[in-house]
Amino acid sequence: MGTSHSQACNTIGKNIWEWCIDRHIWISAAYLPGKLNTTADAESRNFDVHLEWMLDNNILRESLKTLHFEPEIDLFASRLNNQFPRYAAYKPDPNAEIIDAFTMQWGSLKFYAFPLFSVIPLVLSKMCKEKAEGIVVIPDWPTQSWYPKAMQMLQRPPVHLKARKSLLHLPGLSYSGVNTARSALSTILGLEDGFKCGEHPLVCRFMKGVFELKPALPKYKEVWQFKGDEKLCVVEHLKEYLKRTQQLRGEHTQFFLSFIKPYHPVTKDSISRWVKSVLQQAGVDVTKYTAHSSRAATTSHTKRKGMSLQDIMKTAGWTSATTFEKFYHKPAETSKTFGQTVMSGD
């Protein structure tokens, strides 16, 4: 039979199985493409993005640092607004670890929860019952019946989030995403008045408005500290890699190959996972920094070491100094306390 985290689904499955046994019927599971499974897939494909509000990620990270707590799962999320790779969804979601957080055990989890206000009493009750510990985002609403209980359950002083324009936002396309769509349409659509779609005055005005609402901003305010090791020569390691993989390459010209037979070239997603794995082993917080952060970390490090901006731009392939200064030139992150900084002598 297998198992299910949903008692209701497990019961239904058991009833179906017993019904078939009584009638000497054998059933088996079969894959059905999503385009043919429209009824079952309808819920997971139907999202109202106007309900997918989320806490600003930078504000969340600062709060978690203050609380010295790192959640491992987001209990009330969707594929649009999950704050952590693992998440529980409130409705069918193809990427969710589980549907309906209330059907799982919370006692052994380190979780983050930003529940609907209507279920806050249920959240607090389940936490008490299962002696669970996690980060819960709730409004500072003393007149609510659940408020005294929430205050009694506090294990640490709460973090009060000041009201600001950037506190909450709806996930969606940024200016760069909309601009990419404009460029794609412009290559295939021509308008009657002779303008290309992407160059029409109305489209240009629209794009200006999008930029004002959702400007292209740098992803990081700071980057992880880069510590060089003279024994790790990139050039020598690349030469050695080519030497060891020469017999496996055949006609493949792509540099990186899979280490699993038949040793085909890997995708950018695989390379990204490899980089994140190395960063994690090096002590970098991969829940905050992606593989692409290495580009900002290395170029910022070389700038601090005195390399000229011209050489950095040439090596990185940038034609504009503004690109580096705005998106990649960041101060190094430091996690040292005041005492550690004083004693380090740096």
Side-chain angles (χ1 to χ4, degrees), residues 102-120:
F102 290 109
T103 63
M104 61 192 301
Q105 297 293 321
W106 295 3
S108 60
L109 295 176
K110 296 174 64 177
F111 63 84
Y112 163 80
F114 190 175
L116 295 172
F117 295 165
S118 59
V119 300
I120 290 176

Side-chain angles (χ1 to χ4, degrees), residues 55-71 83-84 112 134-137 156-162 164 167 221 288:
L55 194 65
D56 179 80
N57 188 260
N58 290 325
I59 295 176
L60 174 60
R61 291 295 167 189
E62 292 173 2
S63 301
L64 293 177
K65 281 186 178 181
T66 301
L67 294 169
H68 303 290
F69 191 88
E70 185 58 40
Q83 298 280 15
F84 301 93
Y112 163 80
I135 301 296
V136 183
V137 181
R156 303 167 194 175
V159 174
H160 292 275
L161 304 177
K162 296 181 180 180
R164 65 188 89 171
L167 181 61
K221 295 181 180 179
K288 178 179 180 181

Side-chain angles (χ1 to χ4, degrees), residues 100 175 236 238 299 323 340:
D100 189 357
Y175 172 81
E236 292 301 320
L238 292 180
T299 52
T323 301
Q340 289 173 328

Side-chain angles (χ1 to χ4, degrees), residues 140-203:
D140 191 7
W141 205 344
T143 58
Q144 291 297 301
S145 59
W146 48 260
Y147 192 84
K149 183 176 183 179
M151 295 300 101
Q152 293 173 2
M153 293 172 60
L154 290 174
Q155 299 296 311
R156 303 167 194 175
V159 174
H160 292 275
L161 304 177
K162 296 181 180 180
R164 65 188 89 171
K165 188 176 181 179
S166 62
L167 181 61
L168 297 172
H169 68 90
L170 284 169
L173 288 177
S174 63
Y175 172 81
S176 59
V178 178
N179 193 42
T180 299
R182 178 184 71 162
S183 299
L185 290 174
S186 188
T187 60
I188 59 175
L189 294 180
L191 304 180
E192 293 181 356
D193 50 10
F195 286 102
K196 289 185 177 180
C197 177
E199 298 174 356
H200 193 280
L202 288 178
V203 175

Side-chain angles (χ1 to χ4, degrees), residues 37-310:
N37 199 22
T38 54
T39 302
D41 281 5
E43 282 298 312
S44 64
R45 299 176 186 274
N46 182 25
F47 272 85
D48 184 352
V49 296
H50 299 294
L51 300 177
E52 303 298 322
W53 288 92
M54 64 186 297
L55 194 65
D56 179 80
N57 188 260
N58 290 325
I59 295 176
L60 174 60
R61 291 295 167 189
E62 292 173 2
S63 301
L64 293 177
K65 281 186 178 181
T66 301
L67 294 169
H68 303 290
F69 191 88
E70 185 58 40
E72 57 189 22
I73 188 171
D74 190 339
L75 291 186
F76 299 91
S78 72
R79 65 176 183 266
L80 295 180
N81 66 359
N82 57 301
Q83 298 280 15
F84 301 93
R86 295 177 58 200
Y87 67 93
Y90 61 92
K91 61 191 301 184
D93 188 312
N95 298 328
E97 183 170 309
I98 192 171
I99 308 301
D100 189 357
F102 290 109
T103 63
M104 61 192 301
Q105 297 293 321
W106 295 3
S108 60
L109 295 176
K110 296 174 64 177
F111 63 84
Y112 163 80
F114 190 175
L116 295 172
F117 295 165
S118 59
V119 300
I120 290 176
L122 295 177
V123 171
L124 299 179
S125 177
K126 187 172 178 66
M127 290 181 68
C128 288
K129 182 179 179 180
E130 299 182 7
K131 298 181 180 179
E133 181 178 355
I135 301 296
V136 183
V137 181
I138 59 175
D140 191 7
W141 205 344
T143 58
Q144 291 297 301
S145 59
W146 48 260
Y147 192 84
K149 183 176 183 179
M151 295 300 101
Q152 293 173 2
M153 293 172 60
L154 290 174
Q155 299 296 311
R156 303 167 194 175
V159 174
H160 292 275
L161 304 177
K162 296 181 180 180
R164 65 188 89 171
K165 188 176 181 179
S166 62
L167 181 61
L168 297 172
H169 68 90
L170 284 169
L173 288 177
S174 63
Y175 172 81
S176 59
V178 178
N179 193 42
T180 299
R182 178 184 71 162
S183 299
L185 290 174
S186 188
T187 60
I188 59 175
L189 294 180
L191 304 180
E192 293 181 356
D193 50 10
F195 286 102
K196 289 185 177 180
C197 177
E199 298 174 356
H200 193 280
L202 288 178
V203 175
C204 293
R205 287 181 60 188
F206 170 76
M207 293 304 300
K208 184 176 180 180
V210 173
F211 183 81
E212 293 294 330
L213 289 174
K214 292 189 173 183
L217 299 174
K219 185 171 184 178
Y220 306 111
K221 295 181 180 179
E222 57 186 10
V223 291
W224 41 271
Q225 183 68 275
F226 184 90
K227 296 182 180 180
D229 187 338
E230 295 180 356
K231 294 182 293 184
L232 299 178
C233 175
V234 176
V235 175
E236 292 301 320
H237 279 73
L238 292 180
K239 288 181 179 179
E240 182 65 23
Y241 179 78
L242 284 172
K243 180 180 178 181
R244 295 191 182 191
T245 59
Q246 184 176 4
Q247 296 182 350
L248 306 176
R249 292 187 170 276
E251 298 180 355
H252 298 309
T253 58
Q254 187 171 318
F255 188 80
F256 288 108
L257 301 179
S258 171
F259 49 82
I260 300 175
K261 290 183 179 181
Y263 310 113
H264 287 315
V266 296
T267 64
K268 63 179 182 180
D269 293 328
S270 295
I271 296 174
S272 179
R273 286 195 300 271
W274 292 353
V275 174
K276 287 189 70 173
S277 177
V278 173
L279 291 179
Q280 187 173 31
Q281 293 177 38
V284 176
D285 182 3
V286 294
T287 63
K288 178 179 180 181
Y289 297 110
T290 64
H292 191 254
S293 68
S294 58
R295 189 168 173 84
T298 52
T299 52
S300 296
H301 177 74
T302 55
K303 185 67 166 63
R304 290 193 295 270
K305 289 294 185 179
M307 178 176 281
S308 69
L309 180 58
Q310 184 177 3

